Amino acid sequence: MEVRISSEILDRIVAETIVSPDREVCGLLLGEPACVAGVRSCRNVAADPAIRFEIDPAQLLAAHRAARTGGAAIVGHYHSHPTGIAAPSRQDAADAAPDGSLWLIAAGGVVTAWRAGPDGPVHDRFTPVALRVTSRDGIRGRNN
């Protein structure tokens, strides 16, 4: 399965990581399971945001409320690995619910996509997902 996402959204995620190189940035992915139509940056409220992320519960709740009243659905989230690679860590696997949500992970200017499930090949939790990157002129290329 692949997921469509615009180059503008990917550029925005990468830009956030550049602005905060010493802490994990995070946010919500909005749209449909096969298409990320938007993102909402969120505050990382983890006890140690240099090595972990936790989306601000108030922002998460607000996004769920907005979705219930006609706003875009939450299809997953993104976060960065400031000193790592753009792949799920063992900590990510421990924190991930096996609910099929999309995880985008950014590191070193690269963004990769993963689906969290009960028996993925990466840390028994994640399955890689191809990103179909679009631009205003159409398909730009694939990532993953």
Side-chain angles (χ1 to χ4, degrees):
M1 178 180 183
E2 68 181 20
V3 173
R4 289 185 324 271
I5 189 168
S6 73
S7 57
E8 292 83 7
I9 290 173
L10 288 176
D11 290 346
R12 179 177 165 182
I13 292 169
V14 170
E16 281 185 51
T17 69
I18 292 169
V19 172
S20 297
D22 58 341
R23 59 184 291 130
E24 293 194 16
V25 299
C26 59
L28 300 172
L29 303 172
L30 308 172
E32 301 174 6
C35 180
V36 175
V39 293
R40 180 176 294 170
S41 298
C42 295
R43 204 166 64 93
N44 182 350
V45 297
D48 188 352
I51 60 169
R52 201 160 180 196
F53 81 99
E54 181 181 343
I55 292 175
D56 181 341
Q59 290 179 290
L60 181 59
L61 198 57
H64 279 294
R65 283 187 184 128
R68 282 196 305 272
T69 59
I74 300 169
V75 296
H77 67 275
Y78 67 90
H79 75 282
S80 64
H81 287 173
T83 60
I85 59 170
S89 66
R90 290 198 183 279
Q91 185 64 56
D92 291 335
D95 293 342
D99 59 3
S101 63
L102 183 65
W103 285 55
L104 295 187
I105 302 175
V110 174
V111 178
T112 59
W114 309 85
R115 225 18 106 202
D119 58 2
V122 177
H123 305 305
D124 295 322
R125 179 65 73 213
F126 294 102
T127 301
V129 175
L131 289 177
R132 186 173 204 174
V133 182
T134 63
S135 67
R136 290 188 182 105
D137 300 330
I139 303 303
R140 182 175 86 178
R142 293 175 193 252
N143 189 6
N144 258 18

